[in-house]
Amino acid sequence: MTAAVTTTARGGPVAAELPFFVYGTLLPGEPNHDLFLRGRTAGERPAVLPRALLYDGPGYPYAIEGHGRVHGTLLVAAPGIYGELLGLLDHLEEFLGPGHPRNLYERVVREVELPAQGASDGGESVRAWVYLAAAAVTRSLRTGGVLIPEGRWTRSSPSGD
């Protein structure tokens, strides 16, 4: 699922073309999926981000480190457009670079679990890019945020549209 290619994005050099784990408005059926991902992915699979919690936001969710699981989709970029997709997602998620004080999200590498697809398949884990809430947002969520039960976001989640 990954290839060893160096790509430059807002976050600087990237050692590999990792897939992306999405859990909010980029999910299939949500508005940003069509706007940002249609025609730009080569594969999409249900996946789970372990050791994370999901919080409601202003029309979109935030994932943070925690003792839970976040359900979403693992996306693989279509051939030849990885750099374009990375730039689009960094812009959408307001990621300006690692640790930047104006980041809304941080783009980090995490292990994501893929559920078993057959009786003999025990599932697997893959490394993927995940946009987690930036430090200031995380602090605010931990003190007064609305946790999304079950770690599954939809537009009808606690305060989604």
Side-chain angles (χ1 to χ4, degrees), residues 49-57 62-68 70 110 132-148:
L49 176 65
R51 296 173 301 283
L53 296 171
L54 197 60
Y55 281 87
D56 197 34
Y62 295 102
I64 68 170
E65 301 284 346
H67 299 291
V70 173
R110 292 291 183 268
L132 296 179
V137 175
T138 296
R139 283 190 297 278
S140 175
L141 292 170
R142 287 192 189 280
T143 59
V146 176
L147 186 65
I148 297 175

Side-chain angles (χ1 to χ4, degrees), residues 5-141:
V5 175
T6 301
T7 304
T8 302
R10 280 188 220 200
V14 177
E17 291 188 2
L18 296 175
F20 300 89
F21 175 79
V22 299
Y23 53 85
T25 64
L26 289 164
L27 289 168
E30 295 296 337
N32 283 335
H33 185 275
D34 284 349
L35 287 172
F36 292 88
L37 301 174
R38 179 165 288 184
R40 293 186 174 102
T41 64
E44 301 181 9
R45 261 181 90 173
V48 175
L49 176 65
R51 296 173 301 283
L53 296 171
L54 197 60
Y55 281 87
D56 197 34
Y60 49 87
Y62 295 102
I64 68 170
E65 301 284 346
H67 299 291
R69 297 167 63 80
V70 173
H71 298 267
T73 299
L74 187 73
L75 310 168
V76 176
I81 63 129
Y82 186 84
E84 174 191 347
L85 184 58
L86 184 65
L88 283 170
L89 295 180
D90 281 354
H91 178 74
L92 173 68
E93 306 296 4
E94 297 182 40
F95 172 70
L96 303 173
H100 194 286
R102 290 193 351 242
N103 283 348
L104 184 60
Y105 292 89
E106 288 287 339
R107 177 169 36 90
V108 297
V109 176
R110 292 291 183 268
E111 288 290 321
V112 175
E113 299 171 354
L114 300 172
Q117 289 190 313
S120 63
D121 178 9
E124 64 179 301
S125 289
V126 297
R127 291 166 44 89
W129 287 120
V130 179
Y131 291 90
L132 296 179
V137 175
T138 296
R139 283 190 297 278
S140 175
L141 292 170

